[in-house]
Each structure stands twice: as structure tokens, then as C-alpha cells.
């Protein structure tokens, strides 16, 4: 959960720059440091801006495209402001067979957002992910760090209510 939203004043501060340089020293290849650096910066800022990517790229001496590739690959790295609660739903094969789409449609209806969007009050962001690792218990969603299995169109109402 993020206590501050839409925060990201873009320019990296001294502490962040120092962290990046230290991480860089830990590895033979700077590329290995990218994910820890992105996590560190996101923790305070809530998301990673384009400007941050360029700044990291300049320090690591890796192309911004490469860093962008890592940032967009990991579903826990956000490239634009997100809500205080992140709802992730699994859209992989087993959850598909178990009608995950009914759950997602219900979420659309309750929160009036579609995938990738954030509610007007900045309380929820809805994101698809490829698997949440509970394939025998689909449909599965995760809100922040909590997993919900065997979600139904009824239970999703109560689950979301809890985070309102
Ligand atoms: S297929 Fe949905 S959790 Fe793995």
C-alpha cells in the first residue's frame, strides 16, 4: 500500500543516487542491479517516471531502453501513478477456465474502472498479471500483498468493500 499517491518529483535525490552507485559496484554487470534500484526508488516515490529511467541509465551507463524493458517486464514496478490499493487479477489459463472474466467485469462495475486504470478517488488501481501462483484455486486476485483464492462474483464485493 502507498501512503502517498501521484508522488514522484522526478529528480533523483542524493540518497537515491548514492544507492544506485553502491548497487552498481556490487555486480560485475550493472544490468544485474536494475531491479533492486527500481524497487528502492519506487518505495519512496510510488512509481518510476521516464526521467528517473534516464537518470538511472546515465549512472549505470546502460541504455534507457534496457532499463525501460526491465521496468515494464515486472508487474510490481509502476510506470505511472497508482492508487493506494493495487488489485491484480490473474488472466492466465487456469483462472481463464474458471471464468476470471466474470470477476473482472464485477470489479469494473463496482469501481467504474477498466484494467490499467485508477479510481477517481485514487483508492484502487486494477492490473492484470500472468499468474499469481495459486493455479488450483482460481480465479485468484491479489490486493496489495494479500491473495484471494476461489473468488466469486459475490465474494469480490465484500473483498473490495474491506479496502474502501
Ligand atoms: S493461472 Fe491463475 S493463479 Fe495461476
Amino acid at each position: 500500500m502507498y501512503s502517498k499517491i501521484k508522488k514522484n518529483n522526478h529528480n533523483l535525490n542524493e540518497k537515491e543516487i548514492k544507492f544506485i552507485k553502491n548497487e552498481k559496484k556490487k555486480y560485475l554487470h550493472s544490468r544485474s542491479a536494475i531491479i533492486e534500484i527500481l524497487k528502492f526508488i519506487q518505495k519512496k516515490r510510488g512509481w518510476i517516471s521516464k526521467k528517473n529511467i534516464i537518470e538511472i541509465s546515465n549512472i549505470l551507463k546502460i541504455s534507457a531502453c534496457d532499463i525501460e524493458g526491465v521496468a515494464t517486464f515486472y508487474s510490481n514496478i509502476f510506470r505511472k501513478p497508482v492508487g493506494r490499493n493495487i488489485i491484480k487479477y490473474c488472466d492466465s489459463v487456469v483462472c481463464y477456465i474458471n471464468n476470471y472474466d466474470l470477476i473482472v467485469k464485477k470489479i469494473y462495475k463496482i469501481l467504474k474502472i477498466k484494467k490499467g486504470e485508477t479510481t477517481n478517488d485514487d483508492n484502487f488501481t486494477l492490473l492484470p498479471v500472468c499468474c499469481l501462483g495459486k493455479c488450483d484455486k482460481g480465479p485468484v486476485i491479489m490486493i496489495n500483498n494479500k491473495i484471494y483464492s476461489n473468488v466469486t462474483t459475490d465474494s469480490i464485493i465484500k473483498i473490495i468493500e474491506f479496502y474502501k
Side-chain angles (χ1 to χ4, degrees):
M1 195 184 300
Y2 300 94
S3 56
K4 299 234 186 245
I5 47 172
K6 293 195 174 168
K7 181 183 173 180
N8 190 329
N9 298 321
H10 303 291
N11 283 332
L12 297 178
N13 60 37
E14 255 178 57
K15 189 179 167 192
E16 289 164 328
I17 291 168
K18 191 174 170 200
F19 182 86
I20 296 169
K21 288 179 176 170
N22 283 340
E23 283 300 295
K24 184 181 179 189
K25 281 185 211 153
K26 284 186 190 171
Y27 301 96
L28 193 56
H29 301 291
S30 299
R31 181 182 294 269
S32 308
I34 296 173
I35 193 66
E36 284 309 314
I37 290 168
L38 292 172
K39 278 161 57 184
F40 181 82
I41 292 168
Q42 180 170 279
K43 198 170 177 186
K44 285 277 186 287
R45 294 169 176 268
W47 59 287
I48 305 288
S49 73
K50 182 82 186 165
K51 195 166 194 327
N52 298 153
I53 298 269
I54 292 166
E55 287 175 292
I56 297 166
S57 147
N58 289 337
I59 300 168
L60 293 184
K61 309 262 183 282
I62 295 175
S63 81
C65 277
D66 281 357
I67 295 170
E68 185 89 50
V70 175
T72 47
F73 179 78
Y74 288 98
S75 60
N76 282 331
I77 299 296
F78 308 120
R79 297 306 320 287
K80 56 183 189 179
V82 290
R84 289 182 289 278
N85 297 292
I86 312 291
I87 304 174
K88 292 179 183 164
Y89 65 90
C90 167
D91 63 359
S92 283
V93 63
V94 183
C95 289
Y96 171 82
I97 292 166
N98 285 304
N99 298 319
Y100 86 91
D101 55 316
L102 297 179
I103 309 304
V104 175
K105 279 181 191 154
K106 194 79 177 180
I107 297 172
Y108 288 176
K109 197 171 169 195
I110 298 169
L111 297 179
K112 298 178 178 49
I113 52 171
K114 296 248 163 42
K115 70 176 175 182
E117 294 179 347
T118 297
T119 53
N120 284 339
D121 63 359
D122 291 320
N123 198 19
F124 295 99
T125 294
L126 181 64
L127 301 172
V129 292
C130 66
C131 183
L132 287 165
K134 295 260 183 191
C135 311
D136 57 328
K137 295 187 172 75
V140 180
I141 68 162
M142 184 160 97
I143 303 187
N144 305 326
N145 292 319
K146 186 163 173 51
I147 293 266
Y148 295 90
S149 310
N150 301 121
V151 180
T152 65
T153 50
D154 285 336
S155 70
I156 191 65
I157 298 169
K158 289 183 195 134
I159 292 168
I160 288 178
E161 196 57 40
F162 178 78
Y163 292 89
K164 280 189 170 174

